[in-house]
Amino acid sequence: MRQKFIAGNWKMFTETAQAKSLAQGLKQNLSGIMHRIVVAPPFTALALVSDILQGSNIGVAAQNMSNLEAGARTGEISVLMLKDIEISTVIIGHSERRQFFAETDALINEKIKLALKHGFDVIFCNGETLAERESGKEVEVVTRQTKTALEGVSAADMTRITIAYEPVWAIGTGKTASPQQANDMHKTIRSVIAGLYDQTVANSTIIQYGGSVKPDNAKELLSMSDIDGALVGGASLKVEDFTAIAKFDM
Ligand code: PEP
């Protein structure tokens, strides 16, 4: 049985006051929930949100980190800085990082290995663009992304990797992959993991779906056999919406 894992990616939203009230609202609403819950505020709100959520059942993740531990990389945040403020989960390879910051599969692989070296849990994102899906390349693309990202990652470390399948055409667009489309790709990813490791690792890997998950479609998506959770963008910025998604089965 894989534990459902719901994560909220706040992206480049939330100044202090909003971050504070979101965290406080979620702490109150989601206490006692059995699913794993994580929120990923912007860097400037990480410490504040961690303080508020201390002792709660909601974890805190960073949205990104550098591929280097330290160095002359103006504007970057290192894994050591995250560790220093007691963050131990990080999102790596989000499509917005690939699209707007030219992150490659190879760079994402470096980041994943560095995060694992420092004991982090990783939410690794993959997913095809609209053009790639329309040309029938979605399986090829997602397979390549997954294999490259996991190069050099041991089977033991796979317990700390969550995969978020996020078709780029469904992110922030209001278009959702149908539950069947998403489930099919989750099965494909699981078979890639089985090929890289074995069926036991594949069966225990948590694979989230992301792309316009909302309160009104969460239950249908999360009831599919291979969808183990959700990575939620827009709807994670509203306490009521993220609460409803996290409580999709209540
Ligand atoms: C995301 O940013 O990971 C995401 C899935 O966004 P949205 O839910 O807004 O589509």
Side-chain angles (χ1 to χ4, degrees):
M1 230 347 224
R2 296 182 290 264
Q3 184 190 25
K4 292 280 195 243
F5 180 10
I6 318 291
N9 172 13
W10 297 1
K11 308 196 187 192
M12 196 172 67
F13 296 105
T14 71
E15 290 155 37
T16 308
Q18 195 194 351
K20 187 174 172 184
S21 77
L22 246 179
Q24 285 169 336
L26 294 175
K27 184 177 183 176
Q28 189 172 0
N29 286 2
L30 299 181
S31 77
I33 200 162
M34 298 311 285
H35 310 311
R36 180 175 176 198
I37 310 288
V38 157
V39 293
F43 290 123
T44 48
L46 277 176
L48 168 78
V49 170
S50 288
D51 273 356
I52 294 169
L53 296 177
Q54 189 87 47
S56 79
N57 55 335
I58 307 176
V60 181
Q63 298 173 15
N64 178 36
M65 56 171 251
S66 171
N67 60 322
L68 300 180
E69 282 178 353
R73 291 293 184 277
T74 303
E76 286 289 88
I77 300 283
S78 102
V79 66
L80 301 177
M81 295 163 189
L82 296 174
K83 229 173 162 177
D84 189 41
I85 57 165
E86 293 174 16
I87 298 297
S88 57
T89 305
V90 61
I91 299 173
I92 293 180
H94 192 280
S95 64
E96 287 153 15
R97 300 291 319 168
R98 296 174 190 262
Q99 186 181 351
F100 301 116
F101 300 94
E103 292 202 5
T104 61
D105 293 332
L107 181 80
I108 289 162
N109 173 249
E110 281 182 37
K111 291 187 180 196
I112 289 176
K113 286 189 290 195
L114 184 61
L116 291 171
K117 178 182 156 197
H118 287 280
F120 276 57
D121 287 347
V122 172
I123 299 175
F124 153 64
C125 306
N126 58 18
E128 79 286 358
T129 62
L130 184 59
E132 287 162 344
R133 179 160 281 260
E134 283 178 345
S135 55
K137 293 212 169 85
E138 67 274 19
V139 167
E140 184 191 321
V141 168
V142 172
T143 301
R144 186 206 69 225
Q145 290 172 337
T146 307
K147 285 186 171 169
T148 312
L150 298 177
E151 248 171 56
V153 173
S154 69
D157 277 343
M158 281 303 290
T159 56
R160 291 191 284 124
I161 302 266
T162 295
I163 298 176
Y165 168 59
E166 301 206 301
V168 178
W169 48 272
I171 296 182
T173 57
K175 283 187 199 163
T176 320
S178 71
Q180 195 57 57
Q181 274 175 324
N183 203 51
D184 287 348
M185 187 59 88
H186 283 224
K187 284 187 171 168
T188 300
I189 295 168
R190 216 177 285 292
S191 71
V192 171
I193 303 298
L196 292 174
Y197 302 94
D198 58 34
Q199 199 58 50
T200 309
V201 172
N203 288 345
S204 51
T205 299
I206 303 296
I207 308 179
Q208 298 173 323
Y209 166 78
S212 300
V213 176
K214 306 278 181 237
D216 61 2
N217 60 22
K219 186 169 186 173
E220 209 190 347
L221 286 160
L222 288 160
S223 304
M224 300 302 287
S225 64
D226 284 75
I227 301 185
D228 310 316
L231 179 54
V232 185
S236 71
L237 293 168
K238 290 197 187 123
V239 173
E240 322 75 65
D241 286 359
F242 193 66
T243 299
I245 293 169
K247 291 189 170 177
F248 71 94
D249 54 350
M250 293 174 81

PDB file of all heavy atoms in Angstrom, residues 213-236:
ATOM      1  N   VAL A 213      -4.630  20.264 -10.800  1.00  0.00           N
ATOM      2  CA  VAL A 213      -5.412  19.497  -9.812  1.00  0.00           C
ATOM      3  C   VAL A 213      -6.211  20.497  -8.980  1.00  0.00           C
ATOM      4  O   VAL A 213      -5.680  21.507  -8.515  1.00  0.00           O
ATOM      5  CB  VAL A 213      -4.499  18.639  -8.898  1.00  0.00           C
ATOM      6  CG1 VAL A 213      -5.330  17.925  -7.828  1.00  0.00           C
ATOM      7  CG2 VAL A 213      -3.712  17.631  -9.730  1.00  0.00           C
ATOM      8  N   LYS A 214      -7.494  20.233  -8.847  1.00  0.00           N
ATOM      9  CA  LYS A 214      -8.417  21.137  -8.147  1.00  0.00           C
ATOM     10  C   LYS A 214      -9.300  20.284  -7.230  1.00  0.00           C
ATOM     11  O   LYS A 214      -9.370  19.056  -7.409  1.00  0.00           O
ATOM     12  CB  LYS A 214      -9.338  21.851  -9.155  1.00  0.00           C
ATOM     13  CG  LYS A 214      -8.619  22.587 -10.274  1.00  0.00           C
ATOM     14  CD  LYS A 214      -8.134  23.961  -9.846  1.00  0.00           C
ATOM     15  CE  LYS A 214      -7.430  24.681 -10.987  1.00  0.00           C
ATOM     16  NZ  LYS A 214      -6.113  25.112 -10.782  1.00  0.00           N
ATOM     17  N   PRO A 215     -10.032  20.943  -6.320  1.00  0.00           N
ATOM     18  CA  PRO A 215     -10.917  20.152  -5.454  1.00  0.00           C
ATOM     19  C   PRO A 215     -11.893  19.286  -6.248  1.00  0.00           C
ATOM     20  O   PRO A 215     -12.210  18.181  -5.844  1.00  0.00           O
ATOM     21  CB  PRO A 215     -11.660  21.223  -4.639  1.00  0.00           C
ATOM     22  CG  PRO A 215     -10.722  22.383  -4.609  1.00  0.00           C
ATOM     23  CD  PRO A 215     -10.006  22.362  -5.935  1.00  0.00           C
ATOM     24  N   ASP A 216     -12.336  19.777  -7.410  1.00  0.00           N
ATOM     25  CA  ASP A 216     -13.373  19.002  -8.109  1.00  0.00           C
ATOM     26  C   ASP A 216     -12.829  17.869  -8.998  1.00  0.00           C
ATOM     27  O   ASP A 216     -13.608  17.079  -9.521  1.00  0.00           O
ATOM     28  CB  ASP A 216     -14.318  19.923  -8.899  1.00  0.00           C
ATOM     29  CG  ASP A 216     -13.593  20.716  -9.971  1.00  0.00           C
ATOM     30  OD1 ASP A 216     -12.362  20.516 -10.124  1.00  0.00           O
ATOM     31  OD2 ASP A 216     -14.242  21.529 -10.653  1.00  0.00           O
ATOM     32  N   ASN A 217     -11.520  17.774  -9.180  1.00  0.00           N
ATOM     33  CA  ASN A 217     -11.025  16.621  -9.953  1.00  0.00           C
ATOM     34  C   ASN A 217     -10.072  15.727  -9.150  1.00  0.00           C
ATOM     35  O   ASN A 217      -9.624  14.695  -9.632  1.00  0.00           O
ATOM     36  CB  ASN A 217     -10.366  17.070 -11.278  1.00  0.00           C
ATOM     37  CG  ASN A 217      -9.163  17.990 -11.052  1.00  0.00           C
ATOM     38  OD1 ASN A 217      -8.562  18.006  -9.992  1.00  0.00           O
ATOM     39  ND2 ASN A 217      -8.811  18.768 -12.074  1.00  0.00           N
ATOM     40  N   ALA A 218      -9.766  16.162  -7.919  1.00  0.00           N
ATOM     41  CA  ALA A 218      -8.760  15.432  -7.131  1.00  0.00           C
ATOM     42  C   ALA A 218      -9.181  13.983  -6.863  1.00  0.00           C
ATOM     43  O   ALA A 218      -8.380  13.058  -7.020  1.00  0.00           O
ATOM     44  CB  ALA A 218      -8.500  16.160  -5.820  1.00  0.00           C
ATOM     45  N   LYS A 219     -10.423  13.804  -6.478  1.00  0.00           N
ATOM     46  CA  LYS A 219     -10.848  12.457  -6.084  1.00  0.00           C
ATOM     47  C   LYS A 219     -10.732  11.480  -7.255  1.00  0.00           C
ATOM     48  O   LYS A 219     -10.232  10.363  -7.096  1.00  0.00           O
ATOM     49  CB  LYS A 219     -12.284  12.497  -5.559  1.00  0.00           C
ATOM     50  CG  LYS A 219     -12.719  11.173  -5.000  1.00  0.00           C
ATOM     51  CD  LYS A 219     -14.015  11.243  -4.251  1.00  0.00           C
ATOM     52  CE  LYS A 219     -14.259   9.865  -3.622  1.00  0.00           C
ATOM     53  NZ  LYS A 219     -15.384   9.854  -2.758  1.00  0.00           N
ATOM     54  N   GLU A 220     -11.188  11.934  -8.405  1.00  0.00           N
ATOM     55  CA  GLU A 220     -11.164  11.056  -9.579  1.00  0.00           C
ATOM     56  C   GLU A 220      -9.726  10.670  -9.946  1.00  0.00           C
ATOM     57  O   GLU A 220      -9.421   9.513 -10.215  1.00  0.00           O
ATOM     58  CB  GLU A 220     -11.828  11.801 -10.751  1.00  0.00           C
ATOM     59  CG  GLU A 220     -12.483  10.881 -11.735  1.00  0.00           C
ATOM     60  CD  GLU A 220     -12.922  11.622 -12.994  1.00  0.00           C
ATOM     61  OE1 GLU A 220     -12.937  12.885 -12.994  1.00  0.00           O
ATOM     62  OE2 GLU A 220     -13.219  10.932 -13.978  1.00  0.00           O
ATOM     63  N   LEU A 221      -8.841  11.683  -9.930  1.00  0.00           N
ATOM     64  CA  LEU A 221      -7.440  11.411 -10.276  1.00  0.00           C
ATOM     65  C   LEU A 221      -6.794  10.490  -9.235  1.00  0.00           C
ATOM     66  O   LEU A 221      -6.141   9.502  -9.569  1.00  0.00           O
ATOM     67  CB  LEU A 221      -6.655  12.724 -10.352  1.00  0.00           C
ATOM     68  CG  LEU A 221      -6.933  13.585 -11.591  1.00  0.00           C
ATOM     69  CD1 LEU A 221      -6.512  15.036 -11.348  1.00  0.00           C
ATOM     70  CD2 LEU A 221      -6.186  13.032 -12.814  1.00  0.00           C
ATOM     71  N   LEU A 222      -7.022  10.827  -7.966  1.00  0.00           N
ATOM     72  CA  LEU A 222      -6.321  10.110  -6.892  1.00  0.00           C
ATOM     73  C   LEU A 222      -6.901   8.725  -6.619  1.00  0.00           C
ATOM     74  O   LEU A 222      -6.345   7.960  -5.834  1.00  0.00           O
ATOM     75  CB  LEU A 222      -6.326  10.970  -5.620  1.00  0.00           C
ATOM     76  CG  LEU A 222      -5.396  12.184  -5.727  1.00  0.00           C
ATOM     77  CD1 LEU A 222      -5.747  13.257  -4.711  1.00  0.00           C
ATOM     78  CD2 LEU A 222      -3.943  11.761  -5.550  1.00  0.00           C
ATOM     79  N   SER A 223      -7.999   8.418  -7.280  1.00  0.00           N
ATOM     80  CA  SER A 223      -8.563   7.071  -7.116  1.00  0.00           C
ATOM     81  C   SER A 223      -7.980   6.094  -8.132  1.00  0.00           C
ATOM     82  O   SER A 223      -8.250   4.894  -8.080  1.00  0.00           O
ATOM     83  CB  SER A 223     -10.081   7.096  -7.296  1.00  0.00           C
ATOM     84  OG  SER A 223     -10.643   8.019  -6.407  1.00  0.00           O
ATOM     85  N   MET A 224      -7.195   6.592  -9.073  1.00  0.00           N
ATOM     86  CA  MET A 224      -6.636   5.707 -10.097  1.00  0.00           C
ATOM     87  C   MET A 224      -5.545   4.815  -9.484  1.00  0.00           C
ATOM     88  O   MET A 224      -4.836   5.236  -8.560  1.00  0.00           O
ATOM     89  CB  MET A 224      -6.047   6.526 -11.255  1.00  0.00           C
ATOM     90  CG  MET A 224      -7.038   7.421 -11.972  1.00  0.00           C
ATOM     91  SD  MET A 224      -8.465   6.551 -12.680  1.00  0.00           S
ATOM     92  CE  MET A 224      -7.728   5.708 -14.070  1.00  0.00           C
ATOM     93  N   SER A 225      -5.374   3.639 -10.071  1.00  0.00           N
ATOM     94  CA  SER A 225      -4.503   2.617  -9.465  1.00  0.00           C
ATOM     95  C   SER A 225      -3.061   3.075  -9.251  1.00  0.00           C
ATOM     96  O   SER A 225      -2.437   2.726  -8.259  1.00  0.00           O
ATOM     97  CB  SER A 225      -4.488   1.365 -10.350  1.00  0.00           C
ATOM     98  OG  SER A 225      -3.914   1.680 -11.622  1.00  0.00           O
ATOM     99  N   ASP A 226      -2.528   3.882 -10.183  1.00  0.00           N
ATOM    100  CA  ASP A 226      -1.102   4.221 -10.109  1.00  0.00           C
ATOM    101  C   ASP A 226      -0.842   5.682  -9.768  1.00  0.00           C
ATOM    102  O   ASP A 226       0.301   6.141  -9.845  1.00  0.00           O
ATOM    103  CB  ASP A 226      -0.399   3.813 -11.414  1.00  0.00           C
ATOM    104  CG  ASP A 226      -0.203   2.304 -11.448  1.00  0.00           C
ATOM    105  OD1 ASP A 226      -1.202   1.591 -11.689  1.00  0.00           O
ATOM    106  OD2 ASP A 226       0.924   1.831 -11.189  1.00  0.00           O
ATOM    107  N   ILE A 227      -1.882   6.411  -9.426  1.00  0.00           N
ATOM    108  CA  ILE A 227      -1.694   7.819  -9.024  1.00  0.00           C
ATOM    109  C   ILE A 227      -1.674   7.866  -7.494  1.00  0.00           C
ATOM    110  O   ILE A 227      -2.675   7.620  -6.840  1.00  0.00           O
ATOM    111  CB  ILE A 227      -2.796   8.720  -9.627  1.00  0.00           C
ATOM    112  CG1 ILE A 227      -2.768   8.604 -11.158  1.00  0.00           C
ATOM    113  CG2 ILE A 227      -2.611  10.169  -9.166  1.00  0.00           C
ATOM    114  CD1 ILE A 227      -3.731   9.523 -11.896  1.00  0.00           C
ATOM    115  N   ASP A 228      -0.492   8.175  -6.967  1.00  0.00           N
ATOM    116  CA  ASP A 228      -0.288   8.058  -5.520  1.00  0.00           C
ATOM    117  C   ASP A 228      -0.329   9.395  -4.793  1.00  0.00           C
ATOM    118  O   ASP A 228      -0.021   9.460  -3.597  1.00  0.00           O
ATOM    119  CB  ASP A 228       1.094   7.425  -5.242  1.00  0.00           C
ATOM    120  CG  ASP A 228       1.294   6.161  -6.037  1.00  0.00           C
ATOM    121  OD1 ASP A 228       0.351   5.352  -6.097  1.00  0.00           O
ATOM    122  OD2 ASP A 228       2.390   5.987  -6.624  1.00  0.00           O
ATOM    123  N   GLY A 229      -0.634  10.441  -5.525  1.00  0.00           N
ATOM    124  CA  GLY A 229      -0.647  11.737  -4.864  1.00  0.00           C
ATOM    125  C   GLY A 229      -0.741  12.825  -5.906  1.00  0.00           C
ATOM    126  O   GLY A 229      -0.945  12.548  -7.094  1.00  0.00           O
ATOM    127  N   ALA A 230      -0.575  14.064  -5.440  1.00  0.00           N
ATOM    128  CA  ALA A 230      -0.682  15.195  -6.357  1.00  0.00           C
ATOM    129  C   ALA A 230       0.357  16.238  -6.001  1.00  0.00           C
ATOM    130  O   ALA A 230       0.673  16.450  -4.829  1.00  0.00           O
ATOM    131  CB  ALA A 230      -2.075  15.799  -6.272  1.00  0.00           C
ATOM    132  N   LEU A 231       0.890  16.872  -7.042  1.00  0.00           N
ATOM    133  CA  LEU A 231       1.689  18.085  -6.854  1.00  0.00           C
ATOM    134  C   LEU A 231       0.805  19.205  -7.372  1.00  0.00           C
ATOM    135  O   LEU A 231       0.418  19.219  -8.541  1.00  0.00           O
ATOM    136  CB  LEU A 231       3.017  18.002  -7.622  1.00  0.00           C
ATOM    137  CG  LEU A 231       3.943  19.219  -7.517  1.00  0.00           C
ATOM    138  CD1 LEU A 231       4.240  19.604  -6.069  1.00  0.00           C
ATOM    139  CD2 LEU A 231       5.268  18.968  -8.233  1.00  0.00           C
ATOM    140  N   VAL A 232       0.445  20.111  -6.456  1.00  0.00           N
ATOM    141  CA  VAL A 232      -0.598  21.093  -6.737  1.00  0.00           C
ATOM    142  C   VAL A 232       0.020  22.484  -6.796  1.00  0.00           C
ATOM    143  O   VAL A 232       0.724  22.881  -5.864  1.00  0.00           O
ATOM    144  CB  VAL A 232      -1.672  21.052  -5.619  1.00  0.00           C
ATOM    145  CG1 VAL A 232      -2.823  21.989  -5.948  1.00  0.00           C
ATOM    146  CG2 VAL A 232      -2.165  19.629  -5.380  1.00  0.00           C
ATOM    147  N   GLY A 233      -0.225  23.216  -7.858  1.00  0.00           N
ATOM    148  CA  GLY A 233       0.278  24.586  -7.967  1.00  0.00           C
ATOM    149  C   GLY A 233      -0.783  25.570  -7.511  1.00  0.00           C
ATOM    150  O   GLY A 233      -0.978  25.811  -6.314  1.00  0.00           O
ATOM    151  N   GLY A 234      -1.516  26.126  -8.478  1.00  0.00           N
ATOM    152  CA  GLY A 234      -2.493  27.196  -8.207  1.00  0.00           C
ATOM    153  C   GLY A 234      -3.406  26.933  -7.020  1.00  0.00           C
ATOM    154  O   GLY A 234      -3.577  27.805  -6.147  1.00  0.00           O
ATOM    155  N   ALA A 235      -3.973  25.740  -6.957  1.00  0.00           N
ATOM    156  CA  ALA A 235      -4.949  25.450  -5.892  1.00  0.00           C
ATOM    157  C   ALA A 235      -4.296  25.275  -4.517  1.00  0.00           C
ATOM    158  O   ALA A 235      -5.002  25.169  -3.514  1.00  0.00           O
ATOM    159  CB  ALA A 235      -5.761  24.202  -6.260  1.00  0.00           C
ATOM    160  N   SER A 236      -2.953  25.277  -4.477  1.00  0.00           N
ATOM    161  CA  SER A 236      -2.318  25.151  -3.154  1.00  0.00           C
ATOM    162  C   SER A 236      -2.204  26.508  -2.468  1.00  0.00           C
ATOM    163  O   SER A 236      -1.776  26.602  -1.325  1.00  0.00           O
ATOM    164  CB  SER A 236      -0.931  24.508  -3.278  1.00  0.00           C
ATOM    165  OG  SER A 236      -0.003  25.393  -3.876  1.00  0.00           O
TER     166      SER A 236
END
